[in-house]
Amino acid sequence: MSQNPITAFDWRFTQRQELWLLLGIALVVLGAGLGLRDPWPADEPRFALVAKQMVESGNWLIPHRGSELYSDKPPLFMAAQAFFYTVTGNWRVAFLLPSLLAGLGMIALVYDLGRRLWDHRVGVYAAAALLCTFQFVYQAKRAQIDPTVCFFLTLANYGLLRHFLLGPDWRAYWLGCFAAGLGVITKGVGVLALLMFVPYLFARWQDWPGVARIQGSAGRWLLGIVFFVAATALWLAPMLYAVASEAGPEYSAYMNDILFRQTAGRYTESWDHHQPPWYYLGVIAFAWLPLALALPWAAPRWWQALKQRDARVLLPLAWIVLVVIFFTFPKGKRDVYIMPALPLLALLTGAQLEAIAARPWFRRVVLGFVAVLGTVFLLVGALAWSGHLERANRLVEQRGLEAGGQMLWLFVIVVGAVALLSVVLLRARRSLLALALTLATLWLGWSFWAYPVLNDSTSAAAVMRRARELAGKDVELGLVAWKEQNLLHADQPVRDFGFVKPWHLQLAQAQRWQSEVPQQRRLFVLRTAFGACVDADKAQYVGHANRREWYLLGADAFRPGCDPTVQNATGEADINGE
């Protein structure tokens, strides 16, 4: 009889050693490359800039993006980045730490929940399944808000499930409500954790076994609302007080935008990221690989568990379905919106994974997946290396990669080679080991190999250094049609003329500012924002970064008598594009 590929080496470790080994692997995978790159678009430079301005101004309550108030997101995530900068003194480290810690926190919570609801083995399988999932690792290695809000939702689910299934555990319940409130002031969707009440109340109504029978205690239940409100009030109350204390209309506009337009308005109107109703089926099938490979075997087992009235399956599974349905209704959809459902899906899959992994067909599917992944990487890398892949050629041109991007394509080739070699040597019986080696090569190579190759062309660090060299140390720079990474990487104080303001109005204001001291001021301008008033022949080329061309303008670059306020800049619709 063949040995179980997962448990083959279990005898070597105690349960505590297995846990520490798992957390150590997670730290290596998620933390690899820390300090090796700058913030990359689309969102990372924006949040890092807001955090940097928090530190510089001392105003951590109402954030700014340049000279304007930034109302797209609550400031908790950016404040965390600012806090870690005050601790580390290094922005390259600080801007990624919230996501890293959130990722490690979710791994620990999923393990502990699996251990408590089932046993240690399920906890390890569930946490390992989460760590192997593409979307989870990719997001935990980026400085987006989503991993942090996902952590708070997972913590909220952790507390509620402990209370509902293993309780009464009032401390866990209050912790869950408080974490849901923190999720609200992180991105606004923390309240979704409270949907866990729906399957819990259903199970109570249907008298399912395994559900905590909590009679009375109305005051303790209501105290959960107090904890939820208290968490939201940590930011909301001082923000409202600050807005009431400020006379400027921009503060009232900030409050209205962040409390209404960016929450209910974004959900009901969905002005961007329009996708069809079935969009999330594709996210689950592809972004949640390789975890999704186990779903055809796990789903029938969940169905059997539901028929047996197993509340440990009902509550997490119903919550996952409710979250996916909630985000399916709006036209605007992004893959990260349903990411909070991923930890609980890993938990449910982990409960079945030992039995699933013992099935020969599952191991063959995993081996086939590794083979396909390796083949795709090897072919794409080889074609890109030889210049026969048009999309790769465009990427090289847009990013300005050195030597045709050969170092990047070599990384892709190496990942493909490792995957195919693992398939040949390990075969189906050890296909999970082949998968682990392939994923380790992918993520460690991405961190230590691809980061340095892509950083200068993906961030604005190099182009801003070049702009300072060309302008001179004592010359003031004014930014027009700028992106957040430009202001973030400016090594000396610069002047901006708004961010959401139309480009031609920025250019007009910048021209007036420059004319006050023309010899000491130059403008850093996006090429497509020149309009009719700029003589392109007199503009000084700075460089290419983030798929854009940047120039320096002296006062003589403006055509005499031309008014930029009536000459619309070409490409104005790209104000918020990436």
Side-chain angles (χ1 to χ4, degrees):
M1 181 179 293
S2 63
Q3 197 173 28
N4 189 310
I6 290 185
T7 60
F9 301 102
D10 285 353
W11 61 271
R12 296 189 181 188
F13 304 105
T14 66
Q15 291 186 1
R16 183 178 295 273
Q17 288 171 336
E18 282 185 346
L19 174 60
W20 283 111
L21 178 61
L22 174 66
L23 293 177
I25 293 172
L27 178 61
V28 170
V29 172
L30 302 183
L34 193 69
L36 294 183
R37 71 173 179 90
D38 297 294
W40 290 355
D43 297 325
E44 289 184 349
R46 181 178 311 137
F47 301 142
L49 174 63
V50 171
K52 183 181 179 183
Q53 291 190 267
M54 285 179 173
V55 174
E56 292 173 348
S57 68
N59 181 2
W60 294 35
L61 184 60
I62 299 180
H64 284 70
R65 173 172 51 190
S67 58
E68 296 176 347
L69 298 180
Y70 176 69
S71 60
D72 285 8
K73 298 291 187 294
L76 181 60
F77 173 75
M78 289 77 86
Q81 292 180 311
F83 167 77
F84 285 120
Y85 174 76
T86 63
V87 174
T88 65
N90 187 325
W91 278 115
R92 276 191 166 189
V93 173
F95 87 100
L96 285 169
L97 277 180
S99 294
L100 170 61
L101 295 178
L104 294 174
M106 283 184 277
I107 292 287
L109 289 171
V110 167
Y111 163 78
D112 195 56
L113 201 52
R115 178 185 68 86
R116 291 176 184 274
L117 293 177
W118 284 275
D119 56 32
H120 162 78
R121 182 68 52 231
V122 169
V124 170
Y125 293 155
L130 181 61
L131 181 60
C132 287
T133 307
F134 286 151
Q135 186 186 61
F136 174 78
V137 179
Y138 178 74
Q139 291 297 332
K141 294 175 71 66
R142 288 185 58 79
Q144 306 262 15
I145 291 181
D146 301 283
T148 301
V149 73
C150 188
F151 167 75
F152 285 132
L153 279 164
T154 304
L155 180 59
N157 286 328
Y158 172 85
L160 294 177
L161 287 173
R162 281 187 58 177
H163 184 57
F164 293 160
L165 297 176
L166 302 171
D169 189 336
W170 293 107
R171 291 182 179 179
Y173 167 66
W174 296 328
L175 172 64
C177 293
F178 189 79
L182 293 179
V184 170
I185 62 173
T186 303
K187 199 179 179 181
V189 297
V191 70
L192 292 179
L194 303 183
L195 289 175
M196 192 66 74
F197 273 94
V198 175
Y200 169 69
L201 293 174
F202 173 82
R204 283 288 305 271
W205 174 51
Q206 292 293 316
D207 200 27
W208 281 42
V211 178
R213 305 294 171 181
I214 306 168
Q215 303 296 333
S217 304
R220 291 182 174 184
W221 283 110
L222 292 176
L223 196 54
I225 300 176
V226 174
F227 275 93
F228 175 81
V229 173
T232 61
L234 290 176
W235 167 70
L236 191 60
M239 185 274 290
L240 293 175
Y241 175 79
V243 169
S245 302
E246 296 289 346
E250 66 272 18
Y251 286 91
S252 295
Y254 167 85
M255 179 187 68
N256 291 328
D257 191 49
I258 199 166
L259 293 184
F260 303 108
R261 181 174 178 270
Q262 296 294 339
T263 53
R266 182 179 289 272
Y267 182 81
T268 57
E269 297 179 12
S270 299
W271 51 81
D272 55 10
H273 306 296
H274 288 182
Q275 300 291 347
W278 55 86
Y279 171 74
Y280 289 120
L281 295 178
V283 173
I284 294 170
F286 295 102
W288 289 4
L289 285 170
L291 175 63
L293 296 176
L295 296 184
W297 286 269
R301 293 172 178 270
W302 296 338
W303 178 245
Q304 290 298 321
L306 292 177
K307 290 197 294 185
Q308 295 169 8
R309 296 159 63 88
D310 189 342
R312 297 175 301 176
V313 174
L314 172 67
L315 268 65
L317 186 59
W319 190 84
I320 292 170
V321 172
L322 289 172
V323 167
V324 174
I325 291 175
F326 177 84
F327 285 114
T328 296
F329 281 111
K331 293 181 180 178
K333 301 176 181 67
R334 295 181 63 193
D335 58 345
V336 292
Y337 289 174
I338 64 167
M339 183 180 167
L342 183 55
L344 289 190
L345 184 67
L347 173 69
L348 291 175
T349 306
Q352 311 294 337
L353 196 54
E354 183 174 17
I356 293 173
R359 300 178 70 90
W361 264 109
F362 175 73
R363 297 202 297 269
R364 294 186 190 112
V365 168
V366 172
L367 191 71
F369 170 73
V370 176
V372 170
L373 194 67
T375 302
V376 170
F377 268 72
L378 194 61
L379 286 177
V380 169
L383 289 173
W385 175 284
S386 62
H388 291 91
L389 191 62
E390 184 59 31
R391 181 172 296 183
N393 294 338
R394 289 200 301 270
L395 177 66
V396 170
E397 182 180 355
Q398 291 171 350
R399 297 294 182 184
L401 298 178
E402 296 180 358
Q406 289 190 351
M407 287 300 295
L408 180 63
W409 309 135
L410 183 58
F411 154 68
V412 177
I413 291 171
V414 167
V415 173
V418 169
L420 293 179
L421 187 62
S422 299
V423 168
V424 172
L425 296 179
L426 298 175
R427 300 181 181 272
R429 190 170 68 88
R430 296 182 177 177
S431 60
L432 293 179
L433 179 57
L435 175 64
L437 290 174
T438 300
L439 294 178
T441 304
L442 171 63
W443 292 121
L444 295 182
W446 173 250
S447 304
F448 293 117
W449 190 330
Y451 280 6
V453 172
L454 292 170
N455 189 62
D456 277 354
S457 63
T458 306
S459 75
V463 77
M464 295 311 294
R465 285 196 302 269
R466 178 61 176 162
R468 177 53 60 190
E469 291 170 1
L470 294 175
K473 298 177 74 174
D474 298 326
V475 174
E476 292 183 84
L477 282 182
L479 305 184
V480 176
W482 53 284
K483 304 302 296 181
E484 291 94 344
Q485 53 263 34
N486 301 123
L487 184 54
L488 177 66
H489 291 292
D491 57 359
Q492 288 181 318
V494 297
R495 174 73 179 270
D496 76 88
F497 308 94
F499 183 82
V500 299
K501 182 184 297 184
W503 289 350
H504 64 292
L505 298 182
Q506 291 185 41
L507 188 64
Q509 187 176 348
Q511 182 189 22
R512 292 192 294 270
W513 172 79
Q514 185 181 45
S515 66
E516 296 171 359
V517 193
Q519 300 304 317
Q520 295 298 316
R521 294 175 176 175
R522 302 192 74 185
L523 303 181
F524 178 83
V525 186
L526 180 66
R527 175 62 182 88
T528 51
F530 280 7
C533 288
V534 174
D535 185 348
D537 293 334
K538 295 181 180 180
Q540 185 177 19
Y541 182 66
V542 177
H544 181 99
N546 310 113
R547 299 174 295 178
R548 295 173 173 85
E549 304 292 334
W550 300 95
Y551 287 79
L552 286 178
L553 303 183
D556 62 337
F558 287 90
R559 292 190 169 91
C562 186
D563 184 359
T565 61
V566 296
Q567 297 290 337
N568 250 335
T570 302
E572 186 177 307
D574 190 44
I575 286 177
N576 290 310
E578 286 296 349

